[in-house]
Amino acid sequence: MNNTPELLSPAGDLDKMRFGIAYGADAVYMAGTRFGMRAAATNFDDNALREGIAYAHAHGVKCYITVNIMPSNRDLPALPAYLELLQDAGADALIIADVGVLRMARRYAPKVPVHISTQTSILNHEAANYWADEGAERIVLARELSLEEIAEIRAKTPKELEIEAFVHGAMCISYSGRCLISQYMTGRDANHGACAQPCRWNYSLMEEKRPGQFFPVEEDGRGTYLYNSKDMCMIEHVPELIEAGITSFKIEGRNKTAYYAACVTGAYRAAIDTYKKDPENFVLPQFCRDEVNKVSHREYYTGFYFGNQENGQHYGDSQYIREYEVVGMPVECDDSGKAVFALKNRFFDGEELELIQPGQAPYVFRAENVTDDEGTKRELFNVPQMRVHFVFPFKVSEWAILRKAKERPE
């Protein structure tokens, strides 16, 4: 067995895709403006799809395109031309959930491999073998499986069948992501990628003879979140994931930021590479743990990988954990250590900042001798998008990002 899994990163747009690639993705997954399950993401129009696929291939990275909505009859007429476009653009695989779409893909994009979406709820080796018999190159497993169950699927399926599984990111309270609550409550169909996330909302009880009187079922001071789910994080368990036979580690997050794509991809890249160097004596680098905690996230847990757990999937809060914020995104960097960043959040002269770069632990420093475009030093840098000039004692990557711990209210 190949003990080096593919690292698969989310690409909600070209910028996020480029940062994911820079921080170590082996492959990215993305969607066009139609037929994908993340309608809220910026996504890729036809020209951007071609540009993104070409960029990825130029960097030795594969591109998988989601065509995984559950289409109605009205969706089908536009599908042939789209499938033909994806084949012509050089897509490395189509991620498909609907058998009708699969049938059309064979007709209109026969040269493009097929990956079977997690929404088909593949939970056993017979289902996995069915899709293998149907010509699928890869299956994306249901999130409800344990590592033990995954290992059994691996043992009872063809070795050439690739197994992909989510290892990090937001979880859905519904089964394998198939939910009707959003459509029922808002008219936004989750199975067409337009979920309004009513599972994250605050709910109260109302007795039918007392209309307008709402009775909270208190979980905390902010209200009751009956369906809200924690986020998955498996950064501590890379060896177990590999040993179970997972060949592609999938990071959720096409709606997240380029900063998220960079941090989380970089953390898993370092974890995988550390394991590859010495599997028998694997020790997770501390900065990998730190990185996944320095992006916006809900409380973490390990999903269903270790069976039902006492702390469970439910997250009784509406709040994200946001302890760090981006200070600047790169504009210009050179070999001498000079770097210019576009300001995203304010900082003071002398404040502690962190510089993150691909393949490295963060560099912590004090913001001293920092200037604006006119070469002027300031006590406070607080104009959005202003160019801020730094000088570092080393070459700075063009993909470097500045951040800091968030200011806490007094």
Side-chain angles (χ1 to χ4, degrees):
M1 181 189 300
N2 179 6
N3 283 334
T4 305
E6 172 188 83
L7 181 57
L8 177 56
S9 295
D13 58 30
L14 278 167
D15 193 45
K16 298 170 189 177
M17 183 197 75
R18 290 171 178 140
F19 273 91
I21 290 173
Y23 279 77
D26 298 305
V28 294
Y29 65 103
M30 57 202 205
T33 54
R34 300 159 292 170
F35 307 112
M37 286 297 292
R38 287 294 182 272
T42 305
N43 292 320
F44 294 70
D45 62 22
D46 292 354
N47 289 332
L49 277 171
R50 291 183 181 277
E51 182 181 351
I53 292 170
Y55 180 92
H57 288 174
H59 291 79
V61 170
K62 293 183 177 181
C63 274
Y64 308 141
I65 314 300
T66 62
V67 194
N68 59 343
I69 68 166
M70 300 300 184
S72 302
N73 287 330
R74 65 179 178 273
D75 299 307
L76 298 182
L79 193 52
Y82 183 62
L83 292 168
E84 290 172 346
L85 166 74
L86 296 179
Q87 177 168 287
D88 185 64
D92 293 289
L94 307 177
I95 304 172
I96 293 174
D98 179 76
V99 292
V101 175
L102 176 61
R103 187 169 183 264
M104 295 179 73
R106 287 172 170 161
R107 189 182 313 158
Y108 297 104
K111 297 179 183 177
V112 185
V114 170
H115 296 177
I116 303 302
S117 172
T118 188
Q119 289 179 283
T120 58
S121 300
I122 299 171
L123 290 157
N124 60 72
H125 55 83
E126 285 294 334
N129 281 314
Y130 169 81
W131 290 114
D133 291 343
E134 289 296 307
E137 180 179 278
R138 176 181 296 188
I139 53 172
V140 188
L141 294 178
R143 301 191 200 192
E144 292 79 19
L145 288 166
S146 68
L147 286 170
E148 184 178 357
E149 291 168 317
I150 293 171
E152 184 175 0
I153 290 172
R154 175 72 286 171
K156 295 180 178 179
T157 53
K159 298 306 178 190
E160 60 271 17
L161 179 67
E162 298 174 357
I163 293 178
E164 179 181 309
F166 285 91
V167 301
H168 194 95
M171 294 285 281
C172 181
I173 205 71
S174 66
Y175 201 80
S176 293
R178 294 179 296 177
C179 181
L180 289 174
I181 298 176
S182 177
Q183 185 177 24
Y184 178 78
M185 296 181 70
T186 71
R188 290 172 52 179
D189 189 351
N191 296 303
H192 276 65
C195 184
Q197 293 196 324
C199 56
R200 312 292 186 194
W201 298 352
N202 180 18
Y203 291 87
S204 299
L205 294 176
M206 186 180 73
E207 200 275 323
E208 65 177 347
K209 294 181 180 179
R210 295 177 174 84
Q213 295 184 44
F214 298 97
F215 301 92
V217 184
E218 292 291 346
E219 288 178 347
D220 67 18
R222 286 181 292 272
T224 304
Y225 301 86
L226 298 176
Y227 312 112
N228 200 15
S229 178
K230 296 176 184 176
D231 284 357
M232 178 192 291
C233 178
M234 289 292 286
I235 195 70
E236 301 271 1
H237 303 286
V238 166
E240 294 99 310
L241 293 166
I242 295 173
E243 289 160 12
I246 297 169
T247 49
S248 180
F249 288 10
K250 189 170 194 172
I251 299 169
E252 184 276 338
R254 279 183 288 150
N255 287 343
K256 302 290 181 66
T257 63
Y259 168 69
Y260 172 94
C263 288
V264 178
T265 301
Y268 280 87
R269 176 79 277 151
I272 292 169
D273 290 348
T274 300
Y275 176 86
K276 182 181 176 181
K277 288 177 182 176
D278 190 357
E280 298 300 321
N281 299 293
F282 173 76
V283 176
L284 181 69
Q286 181 60 43
F287 84 87
C288 296
R289 295 187 188 89
D290 296 339
E291 286 302 288
V292 297
N293 282 296
K294 290 181 179 180
V295 298
S296 176
H297 65 281
R298 300 177 186 89
E299 183 180 327
Y300 284 133
Y301 85 128
T302 54
F304 296 89
Y305 281 116
F306 297 98
N308 294 325
Q309 302 171 69
E310 290 184 5
N311 63 347
Q313 179 178 355
H314 178 246
Y315 184 39
D317 198 333
S318 66
Q319 305 301 304
Y320 283 85
I321 300 169
R322 296 185 174 104
E323 296 180 345
Y324 282 74
E325 61 188 4
V326 175
V327 168
M329 296 297 286
V331 177
E332 299 172 11
C333 301
D334 65 26
D335 292 351
S336 71
K338 294 179 181 179
V340 182
F341 292 86
L343 191 68
K344 299 297 181 184
N345 284 288
R346 72 176 191 173
F347 70 93
F348 292 87
D349 181 59
E351 190 171 1
E352 185 175 277
L353 304 181
E354 294 184 10
L355 179 77
I356 64 170
Q357 302 187 85
Q360 300 180 39
Y363 174 71
V364 181
F365 67 102
R366 292 283 175 186
E368 298 172 338
N369 300 315
V370 183
T371 63
D372 59 20
D373 264 346
E374 284 69 45
T376 303
K377 296 180 182 180
R378 293 168 172 249
E379 290 295 318
L380 172 63
F381 292 83
N382 63 347
V383 180
Q385 297 300 319
M386 75 178 297
R387 291 161 50 96
V388 185
H389 295 247
F390 293 79
V391 179
F392 295 94
F394 47 75
K395 178 181 177 181
V396 179
S397 167
E398 63 179 312
W399 302 105
I401 301 173
L402 286 175
R403 71 178 173 214
K404 68 169 187 173
K406 289 191 72 171
E407 298 172 19
R408 300 184 183 278
E410 296 181 0

